[in-house]
Amino acid sequence: MTPVAILLILFVVALMLFATEWLPVDVTALLLLGALLLFGLLTPKEAFAGFGSDTVLTLASLFVLTRVLLRAGVIEWIGQALARRARNATAMLRGMLGAVAGVSAFTSNTATTAVFLPVMAGVARKAGLPASRVLMPLAFSSILGGTVTLIGTSTNLVVSGALPATGLKPLGFFELAWVGLPAALIGLLYLFFIAPRLLPARDAQLEETLRAYLADLTVAPGSPLVGQTLRQTNLGRDHGLTVIAVRRGETTTYGPPADFRIHEADTLVVEGPTERILAGTGQLGVFSRSEQKLQQEGAARPGDVRLVEVVVMPGSDLLGHTLKEARFRERYGCSVLALHRRSRTLERLARLRIQVGDVLLVQGSTERTQNLGEHLAVLGDLTERRTDLKKAPLALLFFLGAITLGALGVLPLSVAVVVAVALSLGVRLITPEEAYSAVEWPVIVLVACMLAFGTAFEDTGAARVLTGGISHILEPLGPMGLLAALFIVTVALTQPMSNQAAALVMLPLAIGTAKTLGYDPRPFVIGITVAASNSFITPLEPSCMLVYGPGRYSFFDFVKVGTGLTIITFIVSMLIIPVIWPFTH
């Protein structure tokens, strides 16, 4: 069997595995790489070159820098600032969607959706709208913003990194904006005026996303809350926190009125989502006494502090006892920052008697939080949700500095972002453990392996064979027909498989076909990139998956609303691409 036949068989098998996801995409990519090595279609040096490529290093660094922005609360602060300044609910929602698209142009779509999800849900609640009317537009806005810059999505970077091996220049930082910006603007208008007529009105299931905790937060000296009334603090509107009681010395005021004035050392019993409580400790000059005691006792090393949610299971010896009676901190070496219980209670946290099903927000060292016992089941690690706005200016400086230097060509983008990551680690904006966990390793493995596959595709001559056959079929369509066909096929492939895989599968076919027919490959590369980055028709895109459950959407809801956006991006691409990137030199 010839090398070309072997590679084409491997290509078809990999395509089927990518589409069915019978195996994870990174596992499929690794198996494909292993097969290329076993059959001698690649040398080890060629096979592993992708893991050290500029594209992989840039991707990994951007994952880390996005986590730095999240840890510093920069993206969340943008959402809260917009929510405060909007004059009415409609303007607020539209402003938020525009902000999501803008932020997503420079950060991960998925991360942007995750951060804005609780903010948008809160906005919907205040506006009296079902969350299902705003959560899908949130996901779609983040996807639309991704095609404006080179770093808007990992797909853009992957395509750009694969181009030099084919003899083409990498994508410019704002090159995609010629298509991405008009598509995003028209897409937002669609989300503003047409999508609301198509979206369902269903009560959202946001309990897991916006779990309401009860926490005791003490007002520290110098806090901006000192001397203000509850009305003036805007804790509910700006911070999503409800003050249900205030303790001053031995006196507790339940349901304090709006003109209640806050004093230093008051303890506010607040209720709100995890993110809001954690953000409050960094922004409002308040602290948890339990956390303070844990720090004073030195129960965890700096950089080794975890924040986890645990649920109290039947059989726990905590049941029926308060945290103090059970000596929780002394026994487990952890502190309880907040407690969630389905039935609301006005008791102070320290006096609450633990019940089955209570969810505790627990802070402690990695070792301690992993050994809480069989009757305290860990629901999830929320360490990355803790934000510190004091670090926001430096985090923003490093991120914008790297992006600016890369965009202006002062430094290669890969160099700029790697230096920014090193500086972030050096000044402890993020710990090494958090940095490694921030990298989406399946994407890194997929990209590195598929870059190697692209090399084999060219070296074996399989690209010439396959594109020759495709060229013969598509030649009668002309360049516009070829662009349309490649766009539609790419959109179809992005539904069952990852965006990056779809782009990397289509890229060599498009470039080879264009060269065979005598066209400039550039316009077809742009078309594939835009098509692969815009996946609206199914909820399988990560940003869409984040809102799929909370919004109680059906699969057909995405088809109904997403088809319109897909048509918009298709039309915009067909009109603009031939003008900016002519088919012939």
Side-chain angles (χ1 to χ4, degrees):
M1 192 177 291
T2 64
V4 172
I6 293 172
L7 192 132
L8 290 177
I9 290 172
L10 291 175
F11 175 73
V12 172
V13 172
L15 197 60
M16 292 172 60
L17 290 174
F18 280 137
T20 60
E21 290 197 13
W22 184 66
L23 292 172
V25 291
D26 52 326
V27 174
T28 297
L30 278 173
L31 289 173
L32 178 61
L33 184 65
L36 294 174
L37 284 166
L38 288 175
F39 285 109
L41 302 180
L42 283 178
T43 65
K45 184 177 181 179
E46 291 172 325
F48 303 135
F51 289 93
S53 68
D54 288 358
T55 304
V56 166
L57 288 173
T58 303
L59 268 176
S61 299
L62 286 171
F63 285 139
V64 177
L65 290 179
T66 298
R67 177 65 63 83
V68 170
L69 292 179
L70 293 174
R71 292 286 282 113
V74 173
I75 300 176
E76 186 179 15
W77 176 82
I78 293 172
Q80 292 177 352
L82 283 169
R84 286 197 298 269
R85 287 170 172 75
R87 296 179 180 178
N88 56 63
T90 301
M92 187 186 303
L93 289 170
R94 292 175 179 174
M96 295 286 277
L97 293 179
V100 167
V103 170
S104 183
F106 299 94
T107 60
S108 157
N109 298 353
T110 309
T112 303
T113 302
V115 172
F116 274 87
L117 180 58
V119 180
M120 288 293 283
V123 169
R125 231 178 8 250
K126 292 175 185 176
L129 292 173
S132 59
R133 288 285 177 86
V134 300
L135 296 187
M136 191 187 295
L138 163 66
F140 285 170
S141 296
S142 74
I143 296 171
L144 285 169
T147 50
V148 175
T149 70
L150 175 63
I151 64 170
T153 70
S154 55
T155 306
N156 302 346
L157 274 169
V158 167
V159 170
S160 181
L163 290 180
T166 65
L168 300 178
K169 291 193 304 181
L171 296 175
F173 192 85
F174 288 108
E175 186 173 359
L176 290 171
W178 288 103
V179 177
L181 191 57
L185 292 175
I186 298 172
L188 285 173
L189 291 176
Y190 172 85
L191 293 176
F192 292 166
F193 300 108
I194 298 176
R197 303 173 185 273
L198 304 175
L199 286 164
R202 301 191 188 107
D203 293 329
Q205 294 175 327
L206 291 165
E207 183 180 343
E208 294 303 313
T209 305
L210 302 172
R211 196 193 310 277
Y213 278 96
L214 183 71
D216 290 349
L217 301 178
T218 301
V219 181
S223 167
L225 301 180
V226 174
Q228 290 194 325
T229 64
L230 288 175
R231 179 186 292 109
Q232 292 170 333
T233 63
N234 290 320
L235 287 173
R237 187 192 71 180
D238 296 346
H239 300 280
L241 298 175
T242 301
V243 178
I244 58 179
V246 178
R247 292 201 309 275
R248 182 174 296 162
E250 298 299 319
T251 304
T252 300
T253 303
Y254 294 104
D259 58 358
F260 186 93
R261 198 167 297 277
I262 298 173
H263 294 176
E264 181 183 315
D266 282 353
T267 295
L268 311 179
V269 182
V270 301
E271 189 175 54
T274 314
E275 292 86 349
R276 298 292 180 262
I277 292 174
L278 296 178
T281 60
Q283 302 172 22
L284 300 174
V286 295
F287 63 92
S288 164
R289 290 191 183 277
S290 181
E291 179 184 9
Q292 186 183 58
K293 288 180 181 178
L294 186 70
Q295 293 172 346
Q296 291 170 349
E297 294 165 2
R301 300 188 309 275
D304 184 36
V305 178
R306 312 304 297 173
L307 191 68
V308 298
E309 284 183 316
V310 300
V311 61
V312 181
M313 305 293 286
S316 172
D317 50 12
L318 296 177
L319 298 176
H321 298 283
T322 66
L323 294 169
K324 185 175 183 180
E325 290 172 350
R327 297 173 57 83
F328 188 93
R329 190 170 60 255
E330 294 85 350
R331 182 175 179 180
Y332 295 103
C334 300
S335 62
V336 175
L337 307 188
L339 180 146
H340 166 78
R341 180 175 294 170
R342 290 181 182 274
S343 57
R344 197 181 202 200
T345 177
L346 295 180
E347 293 181 61
R348 57 189 295 180
L349 184 61
R351 291 178 179 172
L352 280 174
R353 297 195 177 275
I354 304 300
Q355 299 176 6
V356 172
D358 283 349
V359 181
L360 310 178
L361 192 62
V362 175
Q363 185 179 51
S365 67
T366 302
E367 181 182 1
R368 295 285 191 174
T369 54
Q370 289 177 347
N371 295 283
L372 290 171
E374 60 179 331
H375 297 301
L376 290 175
V378 176
L379 295 178
D381 191 331
L382 310 182
T383 304
E384 68 277 5
R385 295 194 190 180
R386 184 144 217 176
T387 59
D388 184 358
L389 276 180
K390 294 177 184 177
K391 298 179 179 179
L394 200 54
L396 203 55
L397 174 65
F398 288 164
F399 182 81
L400 293 179
I403 299 309
T404 302
L405 292 174
L408 296 178
V410 178
L411 288 174
L413 181 61
S414 56
V415 174
V417 293
V418 167
V419 170
V421 169
L423 290 173
S424 299
L425 288 165
V427 299
R428 297 184 178 179
L429 292 179
I430 191 171
T431 65
E433 294 80 10
E434 287 177 306
Y436 286 118
S437 68
V439 178
E440 295 183 24
W441 295 108
V443 174
I444 297 297
V445 171
L446 170 68
V447 171
C449 293
M450 292 304 292
L451 288 175
F453 177 76
T455 300
F457 207 63
E458 291 288 337
D459 291 351
T460 61
R464 290 190 299 273
V465 173
L466 196 56
T467 55
I470 295 174
S471 302
H472 181 72
I473 297 171
L474 297 180
E475 185 176 10
L477 298 177
M480 285 293 286
L482 177 60
L483 177 62
L486 292 173
F487 192 103
I488 292 169
V489 171
T490 304
V491 167
L493 287 178
T494 60
Q495 307 314 313
M497 67 171 64
S498 75
N499 302 24
Q500 299 90 356
L504 289 172
V505 164
M506 291 298 297
L507 193 62
L509 300 181
I511 293 173
T513 303
K515 288 180 176 178
T516 301
L517 295 176
Y519 304 134
D520 185 348
R522 198 74 174 184
F524 305 102
V525 168
I526 299 298
I528 284 175
T529 307
V530 173
S533 297
N534 289 274
S535 182
F536 305 108
I537 300 176
T538 70
L540 302 179
E541 209 277 345
S543 290
C544 296
M545 288 301 295
L546 283 175
V547 302
Y548 185 53
R552 296 187 65 191
Y553 295 116
S554 68
F555 192 93
F556 183 71
D557 290 332
F558 283 87
V559 176
K560 186 166 59 173
V561 182
T563 299
L565 275 180
T566 303
I567 293 172
I568 286 171
T569 56
F570 174 76
I571 293 173
V572 170
S573 299
M574 295 301 293
L575 291 176
I576 293 178
I577 289 176
V579 176
I580 305 300
W581 300 273
F583 293 121
T584 55
H585 296 286

